[in-house]
Amino acid sequence: MFIAIASLVLSATITYAQKKKTKDTHEQIILSVNAYSFSDLLSAKDNRDKQPVYTYFNLLDWCASQNIKALDPTGYFFPGYPEVPSDEYIASFKKRATELGIAISGTGIRNDFASPDPAVRAAGVELAKKWIVVASKLGAPVLRVFAGEIPKGYENRWDEVAGWMVESFKECALYGEKYEVKIGIQNHGDMLQTADQCIKVLKAVDSKWAGLIVDTGSFKTEDPYKDIAATVPYAINWQVKESVFGIGSTVRTDFVRLMRIIKEGGYHGYLPVETLLVRGTPYDPFALVPRMLQELNEAKKEVYK
């Protein structure tokens, strides 16, 4: 079953220029979980031996107990990050995921391609290349990367900074092609705050090995749903947030509306969810993630009926 799912999604997560017109069915949308939802837990160390108190293997078992079919294991929580995990660890992790019927929907790194310092950007490209190899070994179709924050002093020089980003993304996409891993550029409310900015960058990168990770909670506009709709044709993966109005907003995402946008935009593939901790607010991912998946699954059934 895992192989069938992985095969379906690999063919589905193609760029907008390659998409085929097919009959939309709810089976073509596969819900996933982004591991960042469990960030604090995965980052915690035992006070005595400094070993992780909760690992990706624990999370895989939990996903299986919840009948979750796909996981995005963010790179940050692999042993030794930013260094890549050993081949033995990767093989063990992938084997366990396969045994449990859990597909790997993607992975991601931290980087800054908006830095005025060429050395910082070059280091980010090299990090991405290393993790492209990891993604390939994991069977992840997408490696998630960032643009970077607007650098101080460049607030009115967006095009100049975007040019640096584009060159970095191009180099990553060229390397990704060698390993059949797509570069997913996430709008993160940084240099990429609007649909127009995202589309401008993607058109400049101009590669079928690069696309957009649509972060539904990071468009800094009056009506984020419009930006989401505009970027669906460029989407190769997602981060569905609890609110389209950003972290901490009490206005929950209209999942039926979101699912209609996704269907109308013709996207097929993984749809990862990510819940986020807001300091000072009760947070339990073991309750929030299943609740969000249930809401999204109900919306999917309604829209694709």
Side-chain angles (χ1 to χ4, degrees):
M1 181 177 181
F2 169 79
I3 295 174
I5 292 176
S7 177
L8 168 65
V9 176
L10 185 59
S11 64
T13 52
I14 54 181
T15 59
Y16 61 95
Q18 296 175 299
K19 287 182 179 178
K20 298 178 181 179
K21 291 185 179 295
T22 58
K23 183 179 179 180
D24 289 318
T25 65
H26 72 277
E27 288 85 1
Q28 291 172 305
I29 299 295
I30 302 170
L31 302 188
S32 176
V33 174
N34 190 294
Y36 198 81
S37 301
F38 301 84
S39 176
D40 275 16
L41 193 57
L42 289 166
S43 300
K45 305 287 186 182
D46 187 280
N47 289 331
R48 294 166 296 178
D49 56 15
K50 304 303 179 183
Q51 293 300 307
V53 299
Y54 193 80
T55 71
Y56 268 146
F57 290 91
N58 300 130
L59 185 56
L60 282 173
D61 289 341
W62 179 80
C63 286
S65 76
Q66 300 296 309
N67 199 32
I68 293 168
K69 297 304 182 183
L71 174 69
D72 182 321
T74 308
Y76 321 154
F77 310 119
F78 280 98
Y81 179 88
E83 295 303 318
V84 300
S86 68
D87 284 347
E88 291 76 14
Y89 185 96
I90 294 171
S92 180
F93 177 84
K94 185 176 180 181
K95 180 175 182 290
R96 183 58 177 159
T98 303
E99 290 171 348
L100 296 172
I102 298 172
I104 307 302
S105 61
T107 187
I109 61 169
R110 289 189 177 101
N111 65 282
D112 184 0
F113 290 157
S115 172
D117 186 346
V120 171
R121 302 197 300 271
V125 170
E126 290 309 306
L127 181 65
K129 288 179 178 179
K130 291 178 181 179
W131 280 86
I132 284 168
V133 178
V134 174
S136 176
K137 292 175 179 177
L138 287 170
V142 174
L143 176 72
R144 185 173 56 261
V145 298
F146 294 119
E149 295 293 335
I150 301 171
K152 187 176 181 180
Y154 288 82
E155 291 81 3
N156 298 316
R157 298 160 66 179
W158 189 91
D159 285 336
E160 181 180 352
V161 179
W164 306 334
M165 290 158 37
V166 166
E167 291 308 309
S168 297
F169 291 140
K170 282 183 175 181
E171 190 172 348
C172 292
L174 190 63
Y175 199 77
E177 182 177 6
K178 295 180 182 180
Y179 291 89
E180 297 187 339
V181 173
K182 294 183 184 297
I183 301 302
I185 302 168
Q186 183 179 344
N187 61 294
H188 203 239
D190 44 19
M191 277 292 294
L192 299 179
Q193 300 185 9
T194 70
D196 287 344
Q197 290 172 339
C198 293
I199 293 169
K200 186 172 183 177
V201 166
L202 283 167
K203 286 185 174 180
V205 175
D206 190 26
S207 171
K208 68 180 182 180
W209 291 97
L212 189 67
I213 304 286
V214 182
D215 182 338
T216 64
S218 291
F219 285 114
K220 306 299 183 182
T221 58
E222 185 176 342
D223 186 356
Y225 289 104
K226 289 183 178 179
D227 293 81
I228 295 168
T231 53
V232 172
Y234 302 84
I236 58 172
N237 215 309
W238 293 70
Q239 282 196 8
V240 178
K241 302 291 181 58
E242 295 167 278
S243 175
V244 299
F245 298 104
I247 184 171
S249 172
T250 58
V251 180
R252 287 186 64 77
T253 296
D254 184 335
F255 291 117
V256 172
R257 181 178 179 183
L258 176 63
M259 197 60 68
R260 286 200 182 105
I261 289 172
I262 291 170
K263 181 181 179 181
E264 290 168 3
Y267 175 82
H268 305 136
Y270 291 121
L271 201 65
V273 304
E274 183 183 83
T275 60
L276 295 171
L277 182 151
V278 179
R279 299 295 176 186
T281 302
Y283 180 75
D284 179 5
F286 296 110
L288 292 175
V289 168
R291 172 190 169 189
M292 193 171 172
L293 285 171
Q294 181 179 357
E295 291 180 80
L296 199 56
N297 194 48
E298 289 173 355
K300 184 178 75 166
K301 289 179 179 179
E302 178 175 339
V303 171
Y304 286 87
K305 61 186 176 182

